[in-house]
Amino acid sequence: QVHLVESGGGLVQPGGSLRLSCVASGSISSASVMGWYRQAPGKSRELVAAITSRGTTSYPDFVKGRFTISRDNAKNTVYLQMNSLTPEDTAVYYCKGSFINSYWGQGTQVTVSS
């Protein structure tokens, strides 16, 4: 069992930035992929960034150039740097770790509003 805890969400103005953190109770080095997802009210959960154990990253077009995922294996932490935020980025952001089993964090709310 691996527990994932997200933090760093909050209220930010359009054009602002936030950095989310996801701390794992186990070694993220053993995860094949660590990812960030988001779910807005009334919408399906969607992938916003992923990073493999080798450090390969991937992003959907709607965040490419604005979001950056990174990992610190020594701290068992994955980060999501979000820049140029818009109201459409408002959602609950979740961390997912793909180990032998997959695990989800509880989510952190990001609200982009003036």
Side-chain angles (χ1 to χ4, degrees):
Q1 183 80 13
V2 176
H3 295 283
L4 303 174
V5 180
E6 302 97 333
S7 62
L11 174 64
V12 63
Q13 292 187 341
S17 299
L18 280 176
R19 188 176 82 153
L20 306 183
S21 299
C22 170
V23 180
S25 62
S27 172
I28 64 171
S29 299
S30 60
S32 58
V33 181
M34 297 294 298
W36 283 98
Y37 292 72
R38 71 185 185 188
Q39 188 166 18
K43 295 188 176 181
S44 301
R45 191 170 297 189
E46 60 184 0
L47 175 71
V48 296
I51 185 167
T52 70
S53 58
R54 295 185 177 183
T56 302
T57 59
S58 60
Y59 308 91
D61 287 344
F62 58 83
V63 304
K64 200 170 292 184
R66 300 189 300 124
F67 291 11
T68 302
I69 188 171
S70 61
R71 61 194 293 165
D72 185 336
N73 290 343
K75 295 182 178 180
N76 291 320
T77 301
V78 179
Y79 303 98
L80 182 68
Q81 177 67 44
M82 305 186 295
N83 300 325
S84 302
L85 287 162
T86 73
E88 289 68 38
D89 296 315
T90 296
V92 178
Y93 284 71
Y94 298 90
C95 177
K96 178 185 178 182
S98 298
F99 298 82
I100 295 176
N101 297 312
S102 292
Y103 301 95
W104 292 88
Q106 83 290 347
T108 185
Q109 176 71 47
V110 171
T111 302
V112 184
S113 175
S114 56

